[in-house]
Amino acid sequence: IQDNRRNGIRTSRFASHLNVIDVWLYNNATRDPANPKLLADGNLYFLGSDDCWILHCTAERTFGHGFKVGDDARNVTLEWSVAREVGYWKGFPFKAYYGSSATAIDFPNDQGDSDGDGIPDRGWNAVIRYNMVRTSLYYGVQLRRCPNFSFHHNEVSDACKFDDVDMSRKGVDRRQVAIINEDTWGEVYGNIIRDPGAK
């Protein structure tokens, strides 16, 4: 899926048991100043989709996130996939045009109630393993309100990469590679982290 102006793949919050396998997502979103809302989107969004599997996918060059799994998405496994040049477009850092907090692998839940069940969103039981993150404008990985996650045997390099990073945005720091926020617990082991904050 190349040169798409919004998301490469975006699921419904009511979807479940939906797998995306062997998909290459490249140059998704746009740098059109007349359409700034398009710039916040990214390659693969699993928003609210439960019991899903993302396998052997590459999310490359997007102004938004590489892989975004949130809004109450539970029991999602992301493995053997690659996210690279996230928040990056043809050699230009995104911040040169618009503010962004593009993250290569993002599992966000923002205390909303996206599915209307009266329970704040929580991304239970995320499994993130055997993936590679290379060159991300902001964090390589973010987990927010994801109880019982497992993050292991991933390789993350060149996160928070560029000189244009807005250090005041969401507490970002060039040296931060992985962010594990409130109401989040689980296991982190067997990963490789290289060149955090490298220029």
Side-chain angles (χ1 to χ4, degrees), residues 44 95 170 198:
L44 191 150
K95 182 59 179 67
K170 295 188 177 181

Side-chain angles (χ1 to χ4, degrees), residues 12-47:
S12 164
R13 65 180 182 270
F14 301 112
S16 60
H17 304 286
L18 182 66
N19 303 323
V20 176
I21 301 171
D22 290 322
V23 176
W24 178 47
L25 304 120
Y26 184 77
N27 275 4
N28 284 306
T30 178
R31 188 164 59 87
D32 180 359
N35 296 288
K37 289 184 178 179
L38 301 187
L39 299 178
D41 287 277
N43 276 304
L44 191 150
Y45 278 33
F46 268 61
L47 298 182

Side-chain angles (χ1 to χ4, degrees), residues 57-143:
C57 294
T58 297
E60 188 173 5
R61 288 196 176 180
T62 171
F63 273 141
H65 301 300
F67 299 108
K68 183 174 181 178
V69 180
D71 290 1
D72 223 25
R74 300 175 182 222
N75 307 317
V76 175
T77 297
L78 170 62
E79 64 181 341
W80 295 109
S81 294
V82 176
R84 63 188 176 196
E85 293 188 347
V86 173
Y88 195 70
W89 189 272
K90 298 178 181 177
F92 294 99
F94 185 26
K95 182 59 179 67
Y97 304 99
Y98 291 92
S100 171
S101 53
T103 302
I105 297 175
D106 192 16
F107 279 67
N109 293 278
D110 295 319
Q111 291 185 318
D113 181 14
S114 61
D115 55 4
D117 64 358
I119 302 171
D121 292 349
R122 296 286 188 275
W124 290 86
N125 305 325
V127 177
I128 306 164
R129 62 189 175 201
Y130 312 127
N131 302 290
M132 298 183 73
V133 171
R134 291 184 174 172
T135 310
S136 178
L137 179 61
Y138 277 73
Y139 318 121
V141 179
Q142 178 172 235
L143 295 163

